[in-house]
Amino acid sequence: MRNLLRFLANYNHWLLFVILEAVSVVLLFRYNSYQGSTWISSANYAAGKIYEWSSEVESFFSLVGTNKQLTERNLEVEQENAELRQQLFDTTNDSAVFLARKNQPIGGLKAISARVVSNTVNRPDNLITIDKGTADGVKTDMGVVSGNGVVGIVFLAASHYSVVIPIVNVNSSISCTLQGRGYFGYLRWDGRQSATAYLEDIPRHAFFRKGDRVVTNGYSSVFPEGILVGRVKEIYNSADGLSYKLEVRLSNDFAKLRDVVVIDNSLMQEKLETLHAAKDSLKIK
């Protein structure tokens, strides 16, 4: 104790200097908007880098599971392609039609590969941080998917990092349809298990069954039509009894999410803007 007091007595001017400097820095960044925004931007960049390094270490040790997941998904895609090929051939009796469609590019879609550097699955307001931002072409309201299906929607985009609202967020609402059935509803999460969500507002006259695929319906510029979301697990009545509420087992395991793709569907956005402009002009007339 005596040595500590002696140390403080000998270096009290240095301690006072450090304290005053700390107070000055706090006042500078707190009461000056430019310096404050610079500090926040730098802090976010540093945090993003730390998350990125941590994610790289985790992804290295999870390569075996990831490769297995990709193999299973590729097999499923190959089976779906084979079924679609056979259905198209049976309908047209002409393989040239299928070959023409196979070689036709998907117009307006741009895929931006990204990696998850931060992710939560045990909160009501889960968020995902990815290592791509505006410098890479990412913008707010763009859709995010993985090899297994829909992930979420970009909420904030900085220069080199972006924040995504995933399906497993209570604020998420995505318009989906039962593939091959034509009925659509809104997919929402109840804040509980990260493996399931609920497709609501399915009409009572709808015909479907457990195991049906739930996919995006393409009614917005966020996701193109037909991207897998999950499969029907259970069927319930809505609270008012006027519609069905379907429990959906999500195709993505959000706890193991690593590699994703941001979808830039600019062509669809242009089409929607044209339609809105046309409707406005008709109202004016």
Side-chain angles (χ1 to χ4, degrees), residues 80-216:
E80 291 172 5
N81 285 339
E83 293 174 2
L84 291 173
R85 187 183 302 113
Q86 185 61 44
Q87 291 175 8
L88 183 61
F89 180 76
D90 292 341
T91 302
T92 62
N93 291 323
D94 187 359
S95 59
V97 175
F98 170 75
L99 292 176
R101 286 183 173 269
K102 180 179 179 182
N103 295 326
Q104 183 177 1
I106 303 177
L109 288 181
K110 176 184 177 183
I112 305 171
S113 299
R115 172 162 291 188
V116 174
V117 297
S118 176
N119 184 19
T120 59
V121 295
N122 56 356
R123 303 175 183 175
D125 54 349
N126 292 310
L127 295 174
I128 297 174
T129 303
I130 59 176
D131 65 349
K132 291 295 189 294
T134 55
D136 308 288
V138 177
K139 301 177 182 177
T140 57
D141 297 329
M142 283 186 175
V144 181
V145 301
S146 74
N148 289 326
V150 173
V151 173
I153 300 174
V154 176
F155 175 62
L156 292 173
S159 296
H160 301 287
Y161 296 94
S162 298
V163 177
V164 178
I165 293 182
I167 292 176
V168 289
N169 184 305
V170 294
N171 297 310
S172 173
S173 179
I174 297 177
S175 182
C176 300
T177 186
L178 293 165
Q179 189 175 48
R181 307 294 187 184
Y183 304 105
F184 69 92
Y186 290 92
L187 187 82
R188 298 182 176 92
W189 189 56
D190 63 356
R192 298 178 182 177
Q193 298 182 3
S194 63
T196 57
Y198 292 88
L199 186 63
E200 302 176 352
D201 303 327
I202 300 298
R204 297 289 297 182
H205 64 271
F207 174 76
F208 54 87
R209 58 188 176 185
K210 293 181 181 179
D212 279 356
R213 290 163 57 91
V214 178
V215 299
T216 55

Side-chain angles (χ1 to χ4, degrees), residues 65-77:
T66 301
N67 288 335
K68 181 181 178 181
Q69 186 181 32
L70 288 174
T71 301
E72 293 173 349
R73 178 57 182 161
N74 287 337
L75 178 60
E76 183 179 354
V77 170

